[in-house]
Amino acid sequence: MIGWLLLAVLFGLALLALRLFGMRGALLQIAAAALLLGCAGYALQGNPGLEGSPRAASAREPPIPLTRIRHALFGQFTPAETWLRISEALARRGNTKDAAGVLQTAVRERPDNALLWIGLGNALIDHAGMITPASQFAFRRAAELAPGHPAPPFFMGLALARSGDREGALSLWRELLENAPAEAEWRPMVEDLVALLEGRAPTPSQSPRS
């Protein structure tokens, strides 16, 4: 079950990345169809329904790339950007322990920065392969520092989905959508992820807002 949830979340994040690159309309539909074809091929040849088993750090899947989603929610020019880029570079090389350590140092120096706490939460999940009490604390701290901002509940929902808690993710994201302005630029990505977890197909030609 966790494999299927992760596959759905990865599809949604890939679709979002294409939108953030500026892809729209028919071109986005073609790209979405290609992604769906890839997912279908994995479903036929892979085993996304198999239960997870403990793996060595070297065998762990690479972290989900979240840089563009972070930029969509916070912008690219923030005081936390240098710390986050260092952490992400370490994570891409498979050094998830040091990637989390960099952000632990960062939040000690800047404990009032919500973005750094979100980055730490994501880094801890990448290292553990699932949500942990420490990552939950990081997201809660971010929510306290940035009340009303969509990023803490969004990334907390993503962490739950990555850990196999479909209902927990849906609950957070539905509440986020209920309280969000209709014109919010980030609404489409949350709507698509909700649709995927509910077993509905997203609508790539309609959901992007320009």
Side-chain angles (χ1 to χ4, degrees):
M1 180 62 181
I2 292 177
W4 287 109
L5 284 176
L6 186 56
L7 188 63
V9 169
L10 286 171
F11 173 80
L13 293 177
L15 198 63
L16 170 63
L18 293 175
R19 288 178 179 162
L20 294 176
F21 273 115
M23 196 173 289
R24 295 289 186 272
L27 190 58
L28 183 60
Q29 287 183 305
I30 294 170
L35 287 170
L36 283 171
L37 184 61
C39 290
Y42 175 65
L44 290 172
Q45 299 182 30
N47 294 288
L50 288 180
E51 292 295 327
S53 57
R55 293 167 295 172
S58 60
R60 192 176 291 136
E61 288 101 347
I64 294 177
L66 299 174
T67 306
R68 286 191 171 272
I69 300 174
R70 169 166 56 79
H71 288 166
L73 291 168
F74 280 98
Q76 298 187 42
F77 305 104
T78 67
E81 191 66 20
T82 300
W83 289 103
L84 292 163
R85 287 190 178 276
I86 293 171
S87 176
E88 289 166 350
L90 288 167
R92 283 194 299 271
R93 292 196 285 269
N95 193 349
T96 56
K97 180 179 180 180
D98 285 347
V102 164
L103 291 174
Q104 286 172 331
T105 299
V107 297
R108 282 195 293 268
E109 293 193 9
R110 299 289 301 272
D112 59 344
N113 190 297
L115 180 51
L116 286 175
W117 282 104
I118 288 172
L120 176 59
N122 290 328
L124 290 169
I125 292 165
D126 286 337
H127 181 60
M130 61 183 295
I131 197 166
T132 64
S135 57
Q136 288 178 308
F137 173 82
F139 291 127
R140 285 197 301 269
R141 183 65 183 135
E144 292 169 359
L145 291 168
H149 196 285
F154 172 80
F155 284 109
M156 180 64 181
L158 183 60
L160 292 170
R162 292 172 66 184
S163 301
D165 187 353
R166 173 180 173 274
E167 292 305 319
L170 282 172
S171 177
L172 272 179
W173 286 342
R174 286 169 180 157
E175 183 179 356
L176 182 59
L177 290 173
E178 286 175 4
N179 298 322
E183 67 277 7
E185 293 184 359
W186 48 266
R187 278 192 71 101
M189 70 179 178
V190 182
E191 289 169 347
D192 283 353
L193 288 170
V194 167
L196 286 164
L197 291 193
E198 289 178 342
R200 298 182 286 111
T203 53
S205 61
Q206 298 176 1
S207 54
R209 273 71 163 173
S210 57

